[in-house]
Amino acid sequence: MLATWYIGAAALGVAAGFAIGGLFRLVVPDGTNYRYWNSVGQSVLVLIFGDEAHFWANYWKIISSTGRYVLRQLLALLVAFGPLVILMIVVAPWIWTYWNDGAAMVVLPESTGRVSESSAGTGPDRSMALQLQDGTSIPIPRDAGSFAICPSLNLSCLALQSVGFHTTVNPEATGADGRLIIVRATRNDWNPLWPYLNDPEFLFFASLSIVSVYAIFRPSQRKPAGESAHGVGGIDFILTDIAAGHANLMYKLGNFETRVYARRLAAAAPLNPVFISGLARSGTTILLEKLATLDGVATHRYRDFPFIMTPILWHRFLSVFGRRQDPIERPHKDRIQITRESPEAFEEPIWQFFFGRSLEPVSSDATVSPLMPGFREFYGEHVRKILYLRKGSRYVSKGNYNILRMRFLLDMFPDAFFLVPIRHPFTHVQSLVRQHELFSRYSENDPKVADYLRAVGHLEFGPQRMPLRFSDAGAEKSIEFWKAGNDFAGYAQQWSDVYGAVHGMLCANDKLAKRIRLVHFENLCRYPQREFAAILDFTCLSGPGVIPRLSAGIQPPARPDRFDTELFAASWGIVADVAGRFGYRPDPDDLNELGEANR
């Protein structure tokens, strides 16, 4: 019998908890709290760093939005708990009549007195009274399974009323010490809140509290659909805006960080750094991810952004306050899973700070940048910081725009190696066009995306797109094609410019040519073990039994549903000359093996 009561009380509590959570979230839907705190955070930043003339306007904006937020939360609590309160007032007395029927009545403290029942009448017609030690008799309503005598109408008395106690105020009965006297029906109750709650009440309120808190605060289980899933989070954007908008301050903090850690950085000398660089969508990411798994390799990671110039200080902060993240597919929708610990290209904000966003080649004699002096020292110390943070000895970097800077980098690091992925222009350009369309849609859904990509230094696709300027004529042609809506031809021109320049570097037969290895994307997908063996041999990277591990999971990208063969055929003339030098023919499905002759 008691088990039925216990199970029923717990089940009702669970049902009520979910109902409360559902009603609360009707008034405060998913994202309300997140949007409020993001808005407050941005307004606080404006107060600190913004125009002083708008200080009070922003101040009152915070006050008004906070007022609306608090009122909405209070309304949600009223809507959520109001029906429960009404039900408890109406239904609870009827339920406890059954629980109390036949139960023994006890008095607490026991020394206060005892309960007496009249012999006249039966069941609910019988009357009860509390007989105190001084002979005073206080009537108790028969339907009062819980009855309290209070010294005054204080908070304790009101709290007992809120959980269903019948109360009366009698200072003389409670005595000089003002103790509460409680008369309660008992069935050998065991819960820790007895006598204030009986066992079914305890189970009901405990299960209701746990479930309602979960139902109110649980994260949404709905998966955002399509491109809307890849907006920029408010906090991420705020931090990115701080780092990008106060780059001079970040630079000074970076130099301060260098001085603080100078002794430890001195031991982190870069040895044979490896720079992976090529036109976007050529296979740079998969090369970086695979090489990053080797012992001793140090790379940038997603966690390093946005405070790239102070990687050690930011790392220390995240070590205390950072959150663990489950792997997710990156926004490119190319099956590559990432976390905050995944390697990624994050050098570009440093290059942009010193050289701007012109995306022009940097010559080996560029001792002073056009915007800021001291690049070589700052960049060299930055590489040491990454080696120190990752406890590595070999720095491996992915930077698509470093293909403009290979001579400069070789001048800085004479023992550096360069891996340049190349891909058939048809599939390569098709992938670039698809990514541009994808990131343009992201930007339409969330205008912050373009600013975020610009701050990261990803200018390959999206509304912030810019061409690489190996030549002004080629870059201007790409821009003209893009303005005319011919993305395919614009990217074909970029492919021709980039890999035409690479071919020129390889044919120069100088020191740089000997430090470059071309990695054909098609060969990497078809013969991953052979290709990785050659890459490791070239870069002097190694490890026991690493080839099978590096090769695992390498496969050609999923072919898109549509191939614009006519458009590509019209654009083949743009790439034909350069493509032929690397062994590529118009039909990407009719490729012979691309071997060392085309390195």
Side-chain angles (χ1 to χ4, degrees), residues 89 165 168 186 272 348 367 379-380 454 457 465 523 525 578 598:
I89 292 173
F165 272 73
T168 185
T186 180
N272 298 121
E348 196 58 30
T367 55
Y379 181 76
R454 192 177 290 109
R465 176 175 59 180
N523 285 352
C525 293
V578 176
N598 297 313

Side-chain angles (χ1 to χ4, degrees), residues 159-332:
L160 289 174
Q161 287 181 5
S162 69
V163 293
F165 272 73
H166 291 261
T167 61
T168 185
V169 175
N170 192 328
E172 296 179 359
T174 56
D177 55 0
R179 293 180 301 173
L180 283 170
I181 300 175
I182 294 178
V183 180
R184 181 113 220 208
T186 180
R187 294 182 183 271
N188 298 318
D189 296 76
W190 44 263
N191 79 82
L193 296 182
W194 167 262
Y196 307 107
L197 296 177
N198 61 31
D199 289 349
E201 288 173 333
F202 172 78
L203 290 170
F204 173 80
F205 285 112
S207 57
L208 179 142
S209 300
I210 294 171
V211 172
S212 62
V213 168
Y214 166 76
I216 290 173
F217 295 106
R218 67 181 173 85
S220 175
Q221 299 300 308
R222 293 177 298 175
K223 300 290 185 182
E227 284 79 34
S228 62
H230 296 289
V232 179
I235 295 299
D236 289 337
F237 185 74
I238 291 171
L239 295 176
T240 301
D241 195 45
I242 293 174
H246 300 85
N248 279 306
L249 174 61
M250 296 298 108
Y251 169 68
K252 293 176 182 177
L253 287 175
N255 286 329
F256 168 76
E257 179 184 74
T258 300
R259 291 193 295 271
V260 171
Y261 289 91
R263 189 172 299 176
R264 278 167 278 192
L265 294 177
L271 174 68
N272 298 121
V274 178
F275 295 93
I276 303 169
S277 187
L279 191 59
R281 310 304 298 163
S282 61
T284 52
T285 298
I286 197 64
L287 281 177
L288 177 69
E289 288 215 330
K290 291 297 184 178
L291 296 184
T293 64
L294 297 175
D295 292 339
V297 166
T299 71
H300 283 97
R301 299 178 183 175
Y302 278 91
R303 66 178 288 150
D304 297 328
F305 189 77
F307 297 106
I308 292 295
M309 295 192 187
T310 57
I312 300 176
L313 297 176
W314 182 235
H315 176 84
R316 298 285 185 258
F317 176 84
L318 290 182
S319 297
V320 177
F321 299 103
R323 299 178 302 172
R324 183 181 176 277
Q325 183 189 41
D326 293 328
I328 58 172
E329 185 180 24
R330 67 179 189 155
H332 302 68

Side-chain angles (χ1 to χ4, degrees), residues 498-524:
V498 169
Y499 291 106
V502 170
H503 187 266
M505 296 176 198
L506 291 171
C507 291
N509 200 29
D510 57 6
K511 183 179 179 181
L512 176 60
K514 293 179 175 64
R515 309 300 290 189
I516 297 174
R517 176 174 178 83
L518 210 62
V519 180
H520 284 280
F521 181 79
E522 295 79 15
N523 285 352
L524 184 66

Side-chain angles (χ1 to χ4, degrees), residues 39 43 55-68:
S39 172
S43 297
F55 177 87
W56 287 110
N58 287 298
Y59 176 80
W60 288 113
K61 179 182 177 182
I62 294 174
I63 297 298
S64 61
S65 63
T66 299
R68 291 193 300 271

Side-chain angles (χ1 to χ4, degrees), residues 413-439:
F413 305 101
D415 58 352
F417 297 104
F418 299 92
L419 297 176
V420 179
I422 186 172
R423 185 176 180 181
H424 190 286
F426 184 18
T427 57
H428 197 165
V429 170
Q430 185 78 17
S431 180
L432 285 165
V433 171
R434 192 165 61 251
Q435 290 297 315
H436 175 68
E437 293 172 350
L438 181 63
F439 277 84

Side-chain angles (χ1 to χ4, degrees), residues 240 244 305 348-349 352 357 450-459:
T240 301
F305 189 77
E348 196 58 30
Q352 289 184 2
R357 294 196 181 104
D451 291 334
Y452 183 84
L453 292 173
R454 192 177 290 109
V456 175
H458 286 315
L459 308 175

Side-chain angles (χ1 to χ4, degrees), residues 106-123:
V106 296
V107 181
L108 298 170
E110 295 180 357
S111 60
T112 308
R114 62 184 180 82
V115 175
S116 63
E117 297 187 23
S118 67
S119 57
T122 59

